[in-house]
């Protein structure tokens, strides 16, 4: 099966496919892996405009696609041991992974692909849901027949076996694991806390932290930068002791730079 036959299979399943540079996992054109297409003709046209990708690797933009990938690492961490232990604890058949489309990565890991049925929410994107196991839904993932210096992405089961996402994947991302890392980040302020900020303003003694939390949340849900700044100003004005303008500006710019760095990392990186 050649590269374009693989691409056709992915796109027919609803995937948005992008091209990475040869032997690389990233697309270096502005927009990164979001230069992705669900139509083969559109992808070919993009390649004619960027001929350096003609012999490049193939990836899927999960942020646009109706797919989720369970990434089981074997490089540095034994993700397979982790997930088999998790399956045993949750009374799930250990061979359940074989029920869907599976690829092996160049480093020996496994990618289990699942379809998201129409109208159903995607599982959350979470790294180290359990040790060595990621659930990928909002990033890029490399696919067969891509080739890296250390080897090739290759199909373990036929693509026709791809199945709808099972309930256990949602359990995994919602913290029903057996070895959630102790360093897992928990937001200091809940969504309800942030709504209270917008109504009542920032609390004295927590103004900077709350402003940063609100700004970071708004950037994460793709509110425009100008609207974010306007919202922060409005909330600050409702505070009993508003932050000085220069401090509010500093918080806003810090949150913006942090979000831009995060998106740059995501755009330039395709998962193993």
């Amino acid at each position: 099966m050649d590269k374009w036959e693989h691409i056709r299979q992915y796109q027919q399943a609803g995937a948005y496919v992008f091209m990475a540079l040869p032997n690389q996992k990233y697309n270096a054109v502005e927009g990164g892996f979001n230069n992705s297409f669900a139509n083969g003709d559109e992808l070919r046209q993009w390649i004619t405009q960027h001929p350096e990708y003609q012999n490049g690797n193939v990836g899927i933009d999960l942020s646009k696609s109706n797919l989720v990938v369970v990434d089981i690492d074997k490089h540095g961490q034994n993700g397979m041991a982790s997930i088999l232990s998790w399956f045993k604890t949750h009374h799930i058949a250990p061979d359940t992974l074989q029920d869907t489309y599976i690829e092996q990565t160049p480093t020996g890991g496994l990618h289990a692909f699942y379809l998201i049925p129409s109208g159903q929410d995607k599982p959350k994107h979470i790294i180290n849901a359990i040790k060595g196991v990621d659930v990928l839904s909002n990033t890029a993932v490399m696919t067969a027949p891509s080739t890296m210096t250390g080897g090739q992405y290759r199909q373990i089961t036929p693509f026709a076996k791809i199945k709808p996402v099972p309930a256990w994947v949602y359990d995994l991302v919602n913290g029903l694991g057996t070895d959630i890392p102790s360093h897992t980040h928990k937001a200091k302020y809940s969504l309800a806390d942030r709504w209270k900020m917008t109504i009542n303003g920032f609390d004295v003694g927590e103004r900077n932290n709350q402003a940063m939390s609100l700004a970071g949340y708004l950037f994460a849900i793709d509110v425009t930068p100008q609207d974010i700044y306007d919202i922060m100003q409005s909330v600050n004005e409702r505070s009993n002791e508003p932050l000085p303008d220069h401090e509010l500006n500093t918080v806003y710019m810090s949150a913006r730079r942090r979000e831009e760095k995060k998106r740059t990392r995501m755009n330039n990186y395709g998962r193993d």
Side-chain angles (χ1 to χ4, degrees), residues 45-71:
Q45 183 178 359
W46 185 91
I47 290 174
T48 63
Q49 298 169 0
H50 304 278
E52 65 272 30
Y53 290 85
Q54 179 67 46
N55 298 313
N57 281 333
V58 177
I60 291 176
D61 175 359
L62 294 173
S63 71
K64 295 181 185 176
S65 304
N66 61 339
L67 296 170
V68 63
V69 173
V70 178
D71 178 4

Side-chain angles (χ1 to χ4, degrees), residues 214-229:
L214 179 61
Y217 169 71
L218 294 172
F219 275 114
I221 62 173
D222 289 326
V223 177
T224 65
Q226 184 59 56
D227 285 342
I228 292 172
Y229 188 74

Side-chain angles (χ1 to χ4, degrees), residues 101-128:
Y101 174 54
I102 301 289
E103 287 188 359
Q104 185 174 54
T105 73
T107 56
L110 296 178
H111 285 168
F113 290 73
Y114 295 101
L115 291 167
I116 309 298
S118 178
Q120 184 168 320
D121 289 339
K122 270 189 177 186
K124 292 183 294 186
H125 178 91
I126 185 165
I127 304 301
N128 251 15

Side-chain angles (χ1 to χ4, degrees), residues 26-27 38-39 49 80 99 104 131 145 150 154 160 182 194 251:
Y26 64 90
N27 179 301
N39 178 283
Q49 298 169 0
M80 182 57 71
D99 293 339
Q104 185 174 54
K131 188 176 181 181
R154 56 189 191 87
S182 60
R194 295 186 184 113
V251 170

Side-chain angles (χ1 to χ4, degrees), residues 12-271:
Q12 286 182 342
Y16 281 73
V17 176
F18 73 96
M19 301 303 297
L21 290 167
N23 297 311
Q24 301 294 333
K25 296 189 291 182
Y26 64 90
N27 179 301
V29 177
E30 183 178 358
F33 65 76
N34 292 140
N35 293 303
S36 57
F37 304 91
N39 178 283
D41 291 338
E42 291 178 354
L43 180 60
R44 288 178 189 270
Q45 183 178 359
W46 185 91
I47 290 174
T48 63
Q49 298 169 0
H50 304 278
E52 65 272 30
Y53 290 85
Q54 179 67 46
N55 298 313
N57 281 333
V58 177
I60 291 176
D61 175 359
L62 294 173
S63 71
K64 295 181 185 176
S65 304
N66 61 339
L67 296 170
V68 63
V69 173
V70 178
D71 178 4
I72 303 169
D73 189 18
K74 286 188 177 179
H75 182 64
Q77 298 187 84
N78 193 341
M80 182 57 71
S82 294
I83 200 162
L84 290 177
S85 175
W86 191 88
F87 283 160
K88 183 176 181 180
T89 302
H90 292 80
H91 308 292
I92 297 168
D95 59 354
T96 187
L97 286 172
Q98 300 174 27
D99 293 339
T100 193
Y101 174 54
I102 301 289
E103 287 188 359
Q104 185 174 54
T105 73
T107 56
L110 296 178
H111 285 168
F113 290 73
Y114 295 101
L115 291 167
I116 309 298
S118 178
Q120 184 168 320
D121 289 339
K122 270 189 177 186
K124 292 183 294 186
H125 178 91
I126 185 165
I127 304 301
N128 251 15
I130 54 177
K131 188 176 181 181
V133 179
D134 305 333
V135 178
L136 309 177
S137 61
N138 192 32
T139 188
V141 65
M142 302 313 299
T143 57
S146 298
T147 300
M148 304 295 293
T149 302
Q152 189 173 30
Y153 291 82
R154 56 189 191 87
Q155 295 180 320
I156 300 299
T157 60
F159 186 82
K161 286 194 69 172
I162 191 167
K163 292 291 190 293
V165 58
W168 65 259
V169 176
Y170 292 90
D171 290 342
L172 195 62
V173 300
N174 288 327
L176 301 181
T178 56
D179 63 344
I180 297 295
S182 60
H183 61 273
T184 298
H185 173 72
K186 182 178 180 181
K188 183 174 182 179
Y189 301 104
S190 67
L191 183 57
D193 291 332
R194 295 186 184 113
W195 276 110
K196 289 177 184 177
M197 295 174 203
T198 64
I199 296 169
N200 302 321
F202 303 126
D203 295 331
V204 177
E206 290 290 321
R207 295 176 301 174
N208 290 77
N209 289 337
Q210 290 183 344
M212 177 64 81
S213 177
L214 179 61
Y217 169 71
L218 294 172
F219 275 114
I221 62 173
D222 289 326
V223 177
T224 65
Q226 184 59 56
D227 285 342
I228 292 172
Y229 188 74
D230 292 343
I231 290 168
M232 291 179 67
Q233 281 192 315
S234 179
V235 173
N236 191 47
E237 289 169 359
R238 285 196 286 275
S239 303
N240 288 332
E241 292 186 19
L243 283 165
D245 286 344
H246 73 276
E247 287 192 39
L248 189 69
N249 292 343
T250 298
V251 170
Y252 167 81
M253 289 307 301
S254 178
R256 182 169 181 171
R257 284 192 295 268
R258 185 172 65 182
E259 183 65 19
E260 288 172 348
K261 287 179 180 178
K262 181 175 75 175
R263 294 191 182 202
T264 297
R265 287 196 302 270
M266 290 181 67
N267 285 343
N268 289 339
Y269 184 66
R271 296 289 300 175

